[in-house]
Amino acid sequence: MEPDFEDLSLLFPNLAAQLRNTLSTMHLAASQLAPSRQREQDPALDAKAALLDQSYYQLLRLANNLSDAALLRQQGTLTLKDTDLVELVGEVCRRAEPLAAELELTLRFVCGMERHVCAAAPRELERLLYHLLSNAFKFTPAGGTVTVELKTAGKQVLLSVEDTGRGIEPDRLETLFDRCLHESLMDPRPHGLGLGLALCRAIAQGHGGSIMAQSHEGRGSRFTVSLPDRRAENGTVSDVPLDYSGGFNRTLLYLADALPSRVFLVRYQG
């Protein structure tokens, strides 16, 4: 009998706490062995340390995903507050654009609105967008384009991420958002836990919304998140998402799996 999301979501946060404690000790030791000043003066040392930093960011990203697994069994809505979605999405794209360029990709943000405030959970929505961008970056070859679009339609806010990558096989679309429960459908090892899209769906549902995927092999994929266009009851407005990355560059953290190791050279950090 396969485990369900509730079984996994009870276990994962405990694993994440243990993993995060060990990672903290490892990062402290590594930073003492290769401090920033020495890395700046020694390109060979900096390149080796960059590989270590990338691995650290990837593991910390995994720990964060494990912690967020509690969302998979959450009932009801997330804690929402009035948020300027144009500011939030635009800021994520601004931070991610130079990293897309490192992959020889073009990242576009398409939005006809200067400002649009509605009820959202900023931290969770930011994480959702980074998950979708990470996937798009990983599966789009150099020279391709990733387009983020934000618009309204009726009483919904539509946030989409479209790429010109390899697309998704039709037989995988049906279980795309719960692949962590279907080992036979995961990518060949080494692969992740398949939590990213499951968390995206949970975040969308926690807003009272949904997420859907469209894809054509060889022509790319498009993920569209639909959120109710409404205001929060408390009326508090949040324009800028809070930093929940423990003081690290959160864009490098959330996109760590999709980036080349050179992006983790000391000059990019901070």
Side-chain angles (χ1 to χ4, degrees):
M1 178 176 168
E2 290 184 326
D4 60 23
F5 277 151
E6 185 167 356
D7 296 329
L8 296 173
S9 62
L10 290 171
L11 175 64
F12 284 164
N14 292 329
L15 293 175
Q18 296 183 43
L19 180 59
R20 195 174 283 109
N21 288 337
T22 301
L23 283 172
S24 179
T25 301
M26 291 174 60
H27 187 266
L28 176 61
S31 63
Q32 291 174 342
L33 290 171
S36 296
R37 182 171 299 179
Q38 290 186 21
R39 290 178 60 174
E40 291 171 353
Q41 298 171 355
D42 187 343
L45 175 64
D46 193 20
K48 293 176 182 177
L51 287 170
L52 186 60
D53 278 345
Q54 181 178 29
S55 297
Y56 173 79
Y57 275 73
Q58 289 171 336
L59 287 171
L60 183 56
R61 179 179 183 270
L62 173 61
N64 288 345
N65 285 349
L66 293 174
S67 292
D68 284 344
L71 292 171
L72 300 177
R73 59 185 174 88
Q74 180 168 317
Q75 300 296 319
T77 62
L78 295 166
T79 300
L80 307 179
K81 56 184 176 181
D82 286 342
T83 303
D84 183 356
L85 296 188
V86 177
E87 174 68 23
L88 187 153
V89 176
E91 177 65 13
V92 169
C93 291
R94 185 189 69 79
R95 289 174 175 270
E97 185 176 10
L99 300 177
E102 289 288 334
L103 294 165
E104 299 181 45
L105 300 175
T106 299
L107 175 60
R108 301 170 60 240
F109 175 41
V110 177
C111 180
M113 304 175 289
E114 291 187 3
R115 194 168 189 264
H116 189 79
V117 175
C118 78
R123 181 232 178 201
E124 286 80 4
L125 192 59
E126 182 189 68
R127 291 290 300 277
L128 179 154
L129 180 53
Y130 273 123
H131 275 302
L132 295 181
L133 284 175
S134 179
N135 284 346
F137 286 4
K138 278 189 285 190
F139 299 118
T140 304
T145 300
V146 176
T147 302
V148 177
E149 184 177 20
L150 181 67
K151 64 182 182 179
T152 60
K155 296 182 179 180
Q156 300 292 307
V157 176
L158 303 179
L159 171 62
S160 65
V161 176
E162 183 175 12
D163 64 63
T164 58
R166 71 189 193 194
I168 303 167
E169 297 88 342
D171 61 345
R172 294 196 175 196
L173 281 173
E174 185 177 347
T175 57
L176 196 61
F177 296 99
D178 60 0
R179 287 177 62 198
C180 61
L181 299 183
H182 304 272
E183 185 174 359
S184 62
L185 297 180
M186 288 186 177
D187 296 327
R189 294 182 185 277
H191 56 63
L193 293 175
L195 279 175
L197 288 177
L199 289 171
C200 287
R201 182 173 64 178
I203 291 169
Q205 292 175 342
H207 283 78
S210 62
I211 183 171
M212 65 174 292
Q214 299 167 290
S215 186
H216 301 279
E217 286 190 82
R219 290 190 289 163
S221 303
R222 181 184 180 96
F223 288 82
T224 302
V225 180
S226 178
L227 307 176
D229 192 2
R230 62 189 179 191
R231 293 297 183 99
E233 293 181 1
N234 58 21
T236 301
V237 177
S238 172
D239 291 325
V240 181
L242 298 177
D243 186 350
Y244 285 84
S245 54
F248 295 96
N249 183 318
R250 66 175 180 269
T251 306
L252 286 178
L253 173 62
Y254 295 147
L255 299 178
D257 282 356
L259 300 173
S261 62
R262 66 177 178 274
V263 173
F264 293 84
L265 296 173
V266 68
R267 67 176 179 269
Y268 287 100
Q269 301 185 34

